[in-house]
Amino acid sequence: MVIIITGASHTGKTVLAQKLLEKYKYPYTSIDHLKMGLIRSGNTKLTPEDDDELTEYLWPIVREMVKTAIENGQDLIVEGCYVPFGWRKDIDRRYLEQIRFACLVMTEEYIDAHFDDIKDHAGDAEHRPCDEKLTPGSVKEDNRKYLEGFRAAGEEVVLIRKDYVKTIKSLVRRMGQRGAAAGGKGDRQCS
């Protein structure tokens, strides 16, 4: 089984991947690590700020890694923001049956009520330099982009409304279950 986790920056994609690794022992790969490896090695002229171009550049590589893991009967968690809204159209149905998907999105109300917490927990799973550009408005804009894009593509969006910890715990239980639905249409309402 392969689990794909995406969403806006600061929504806890890496935290969720880490918790899944701890509970189910599924290895995970960060698309950000792949991005930086390709940038630092000189295999691309793209920069970390080239988000749309990076999605287009990285997704074919990630897609083939996902298919290879499925073909080899290996479990894998893939997390990162570089998953295109229409990612399913690139993958044959026989692979899709082995993929679980979640897009994490914080509601504007959650961001308003918990912005200081979002900043304080930015480095929970990985060291992040202080992000002076992080504002409630920038976080809302980023989350809105993922909400609208994945909804328009018919993907399930996990809405973080009130209780972040409860939402992540619920996802850990649901996503690690074999035979569970492979992601669906419509939004999952979480606390």
Side-chain angles (χ1 to χ4, degrees):
M1 174 171 52
V2 173
I3 299 171
I4 299 175
I5 303 166
T6 195
S9 181
H10 295 84
T11 55
K13 299 177 296 293
T14 307
V15 168
L16 176 56
Q18 183 66 37
K19 292 201 178 292
L20 287 163
L21 169 112
E22 291 167 5
K23 180 163 179 131
Y24 299 106
K25 309 297 185 232
Y26 300 165
Y28 82 86
T29 189
S30 165
I31 302 173
D32 279 342
H33 293 172
L34 176 63
K35 167 190 77 176
M36 291 311 297
L38 290 164
I39 289 171
R40 288 178 174 172
S41 66
N43 281 289
T44 181
K45 301 259 188 251
L46 296 172
T47 71
E49 288 76 36
D50 297 325
D51 284 338
D52 292 337
E53 295 88 350
L54 281 164
T55 299
E56 188 177 316
Y57 179 68
L58 293 169
W59 177 246
I61 299 166
V62 172
R63 177 191 65 220
E64 296 308 313
M65 290 170 60
V66 165
K67 289 167 56 178
T68 300
I70 291 169
E71 290 165 356
N72 291 341
Q74 296 171 305
D75 296 319
L76 179 64
I77 302 163
V78 176
E79 66 88 9
C81 59
Y82 302 103
V83 177
F85 301 134
W87 69 274
R88 285 183 191 269
K89 73 177 190 260
D90 293 335
I91 300 178
D92 186 88
R93 183 179 187 158
R94 66 189 163 117
Y95 296 107
L96 289 173
E97 293 169 355
Q98 299 297 316
I99 297 172
R100 306 291 176 266
F101 173 82
C103 175
L104 303 179
V105 172
M106 296 175 179
T107 64
E108 291 193 4
E109 296 77 17
Y110 181 87
I111 295 164
D112 285 336
H114 299 280
F115 181 71
D116 288 338
D117 294 330
I118 293 166
K119 283 182 10 182
D120 291 345
H121 290 282
D124 281 1
E126 59 191 344
H127 175 71
R128 288 183 186 222
C130 183
D131 188 351
E132 299 297 327
K133 296 178 186 176
L134 192 69
T135 65
S138 68
V139 175
K140 287 178 185 178
E141 181 181 335
D142 199 19
N143 277 268
R144 192 175 311 116
K145 172 185 156 187
Y146 280 83
L147 178 65
E148 292 171 0
F150 281 105
R151 270 186 176 167
E155 290 294 343
E156 176 180 329
V157 175
V158 177
L159 295 175
I160 301 167
R161 295 179 176 277
K162 295 178 187 170
D163 189 331
Y164 178 82
V165 173
K166 184 177 176 183
T167 301
I168 295 300
K169 284 182 180 179
S170 173
L171 280 170
V172 169
R173 277 192 309 276
R174 181 176 64 93
M175 294 195 82
Q177 297 172 350
R178 296 210 181 269
K185 307 299 181 189
D187 298 342
R188 176 169 297 276
Q189 305 295 318
C190 293
S191 295

